[in-house]
């Protein structure tokens, strides 16, 4: 640690002068250094593509570190997964840090190291950054909020979105529901359990699927609001009904028990390394095989199908009844991303 | 205001369910609605370019509204100007909102309306967004932090950066120093004065300059840390000395008086609608004419030149002495962006 650096964040780290420069050198360039970021220009010029996908997401999760991940890994994976869901190849990430006065700089270094690892796994470069300092909330330990924006390239002819969904399409879920939500809620409530978050970049899975020649109609990652909210949004935009089979939805037994204990429904619990894929029924089994053979996709399942019964989402329960499920209403605590 | 909406932000506005969707519909789509944003996808697919410029900036300024601008206008202009400084044509903006619990939704609507106006003036589209809610700091009224990332296209053959700076180059400043800093500091200290922030997008000015055929070596917008810090960073990266003439640096008389009263040096006071341009001396007068004929450039001045005397920045004072000026050290309060 250089002479300009204290061991905690103070307001001068956000002032744009010598102390900000020291923070950038000793923390951010140390973790992320690459030919683009090192120019330290107002903006970074990089190779583009004819069609690009653009996204942004801010991460306000507490605690900063949790079983299976941390805010840094999450900030990379969340944005990478958003790009993938448009059929884009993730290329670049920007990182905006809102540091709270009093934050441990050693914690910040753990976060940036984790971001660098996740970016390497996802094959993206962190090409631009920004740092600000704000007073902390008195309700929580001082930490960091991270915004990541992402840019990806979209191949000619690729068109993925809920407007492409057709009656008869199949619905695939890439793995267990609720792991991330349960891990964060457990950590916040001080409940000791073995549940680990699924925070992960889905690059390999989506890349293999897109390269297989299989037509994908729509994809969404399952985050805030859970599968029920995501399927409702897709159904709404498609103007088509989605029916899912409760018995086909994979949930880890530990997560199921935890959810039962707290009266939570896994359908509304968020993940950070899962997605739902809607595609023609005739391609569903081949797609499922590809997804199951990919990293983070071993537990993928065919969970339902699309019908013409008007927008809405219905679950066929284990005992054979039909239950209509709406999007998340109310609090949806805790902040899980 | 729809039935889902309260008049203040609460945690459910960040939960990703029905209340978040109502906020997006009634505030963000209302202000920004365009063909791309309306897809409400995880990421937005837009036309790209062979070379793109990418940047990010977070805005934590308080107060949210100030004479001459507000956090929304600032969040658009800051990122647009960062893109322009790389010689890029700004195309797309993403907007990440960190809302503090308790914020007035009517204030948020004023902010988004102002962002829409600034985006229209700058000719950029807001194509992706995100909303989170966090507990507020007890030290300040609940407000909003805005991250904007930007993407622009860079024409073939354009290369702008401090590595291009040559001995003998001229240094142009596009207008008065310190207006933004003085306006914010005055507002925070409750000092009544007539100083108005210069928050503005420099698109017209830079567009005209780039279209003139004049070669520009390097550009930077003058923000946090002020002109002294920006010139020191350029000098460092170029490995060349920059000498400026104190008498040539434009400062509004009201700002000069305000700075004098508080013992502030305008060289370290930030702006949000000014830039410094370094280019071959033979093109300087023509460039100056173009800049002065552009919106926000009427007060532009030729303020100095580049020499081979090793990195560093020197000011020749009004009485003819030479003073070395370093980058900003210490606090650099208040948060001006």
């Amino acid at each position: 640690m250089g002479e300009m650096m204290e061991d905690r964040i103070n307001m001068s780290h956000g002032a744009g002068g010598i102390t900000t420069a020291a923070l950038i050198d000793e923390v951010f360039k140390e973790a992320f250094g690459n030919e683009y970021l090192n120019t330290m220009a107002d903006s970074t010029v990089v190779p583009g593509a004819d069609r690009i996908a653009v996204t942004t997401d801010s991460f306000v999760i507490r605690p900063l570190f949790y079983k299976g991940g941390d805010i840094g890994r999450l900030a990379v994976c969340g944005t990478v997964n958003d790009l993938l869901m448009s059929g884009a190849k993730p290329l670049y990430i920007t990182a905006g840090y809102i540091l709270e006065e009093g934050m441990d700089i050693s914690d910040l270094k753990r976060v940036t190291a984790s971001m660098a690892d996740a970016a390497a796994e996802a094959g993206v470069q962190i090409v631009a950054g920004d740092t600000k300092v704000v007073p902390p909330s008195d309700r929580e330990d001082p930490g960091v909020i991270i915004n990541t924006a992402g840019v990806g390239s979209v191949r000619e002819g690729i068109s993925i979105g809920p407007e492409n969904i057709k009656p008869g399409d199949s619905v695939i879920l890439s793995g267990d529901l609720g792991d991330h939500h349960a891990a964060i809620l457990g950590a916040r409530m001080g409940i000791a359990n073995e549940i680990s978050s699924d925070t992960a970049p889905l690059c390999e899975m989506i890349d293999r699927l897109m390269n297989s020649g299989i037509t994908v109609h729509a994809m969404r990652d399952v985050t805030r609001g859970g599968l029920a909210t995501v399927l409702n949004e897709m159904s709404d935009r498609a103007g088509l009904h989605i029916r899912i089979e409760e018995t086909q939805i994979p949930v880890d037994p530990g997560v199921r028990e935890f959810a039962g204990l707290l009266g939570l429904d896994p359908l509304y619990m968020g993940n950070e390394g899962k997605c739902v894929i809607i595609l023609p029924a005739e391609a569903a089994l081949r797609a499922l095989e590809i997804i199951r053979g990919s990293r983070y996709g071993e537990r993928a399942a065919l969970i339902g199908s699309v019908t013409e019964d008007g927008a809405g989402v219905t679950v066929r329960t284990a005992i054979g009844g039909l239950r209509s499920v709406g999007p998340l209403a109310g609090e949806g605590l805790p902040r899980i991303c």
Side-chain angles (χ1 to χ4, degrees), chain A:
Chain A
M1 195 160 296
E3 55 185 304
M4 300 307 305
M5 296 276 286
E6 310 289 329
D7 57 358
R8 287 181 183 277
I9 293 294
N10 60 56
M11 295 308 282
S12 73
H13 287 113
I18 292 176
T19 324
T20 305
L23 183 74
I24 291 169
D25 276 353
E26 296 180 27
V27 178
F28 300 111
K29 285 175 81 166
E30 185 70 24
F32 305 139
N34 61 49
E35 58 173 319
Y36 301 123
L37 193 64
N38 288 349
T39 64
M40 297 302 296
D42 284 320
S43 60
T44 310
V45 178
V46 292
D50 277 352
R51 289 202 305 159
I52 58 176
V54 180
T55 189
T56 188
D57 218 335
S58 304
F59 298 87
V60 299
I61 194 169
R62 297 292 182 271
L64 299 177
F65 305 96
Y66 52 84
K67 199 177 292 183
D70 58 78
I71 192 171
R73 179 170 173 83
L74 182 59
V76 172
C77 296
T79 287
V80 160
N81 290 343
D82 281 345
L83 292 173
L84 291 169
M85 296 302 110
S86 302
K89 177 177 166 52
L91 297 174
Y92 313 115
I93 296 272
T94 67
Y97 296 86
I98 319 287
L99 302 166
E100 290 172 339
E101 199 182 0
M103 183 188 184
D104 262 321
I105 292 180
S106 60
D107 281 348
L108 181 60
K109 288 183 174 180
R110 279 178 68 194
V111 168
T112 52
S114 176
M115 289 184 79
D117 286 347
E121 181 185 346
V124 294
Q125 283 184 293
I126 297 171
V127 295
D130 178 60
T131 304
K132 296 284 166 14
V133 179
V134 297
S137 163
D138 289 1
R139 292 192 231 164
E140 296 177 310
D141 288 337
V144 60
I145 294 170
I146 304 178
N147 174 284
T148 47
V151 178
S153 59
V154 184
R155 273 174 295 187
E156 193 59 37
I158 296 282
S159 166
I160 290 175
E163 66 281 7
N164 298 328
I165 296 173
K166 304 247 172 347
D169 278 359
S170 291
V171 180
I172 293 174
L173 176 64
S174 73
D176 291 333
L177 284 191
D179 317 57
H180 178 70
H181 198 124
I184 300 307
L185 192 52
R188 286 183 69 96
M189 298 173 74
I191 299 173
N193 62 33
E194 292 305 306
I195 299 169
S196 186
S197 165
D198 57 337
T199 310
L202 301 177
C203 303
E204 184 199 313
M205 179 191 300
I206 304 302
D207 207 40
R208 291 182 62 184
L209 191 61
M210 302 304 286
N211 287 336
S212 69
I214 289 173
T215 298
V216 171
H217 286 160
M219 296 193 276
R220 284 286 304 272
D221 57 342
V222 180
T223 56
R224 279 188 299 183
L227 181 67
T229 304
V230 166
L231 289 181
N232 267 280
E233 289 174 9
M234 295 174 101
S235 159
D236 256 9
R237 298 201 67 87
L240 293 167
H241 204 87
I242 297 176
R243 180 184 291 193
I244 54 177
E245 304 288 325
E246 190 170 46
T247 55
Q248 300 307 306
I249 296 170
V251 181
D252 172 84
V255 172
R256 192 180 290 287
E257 189 189 340
F258 180 85
L261 217 70
L262 294 172
L264 296 172
D265 182 344
L267 286 177
Y268 292 94
M269 292 170 70
N271 289 75
E272 289 293 349
K274 300 290 157 53
C275 64
V276 59
I277 297 168
I278 299 184
L279 76 184
E282 60 270 24
L285 290 180
R286 217 180 115 219
L288 191 60
E289 194 186 326
I290 290 168
I291 295 166
R292 283 189 177 155
S294 303
R295 194 166 183 198
Y296 309 120
E298 312 80 37
R299 302 257 304 152
L302 187 59
I303 63 163
S305 59
V306 177
T307 72
E308 290 188 86
D309 306 333
V313 178
T314 305
V315 179
R316 202 163 67 97
T317 63
I319 55 164
L322 290 178
R323 176 165 65 99
S324 172
V325 292
L328 176 71
E331 286 276 329
L333 291 170
R335 288 177 286 151
I336 61 158
C337 55

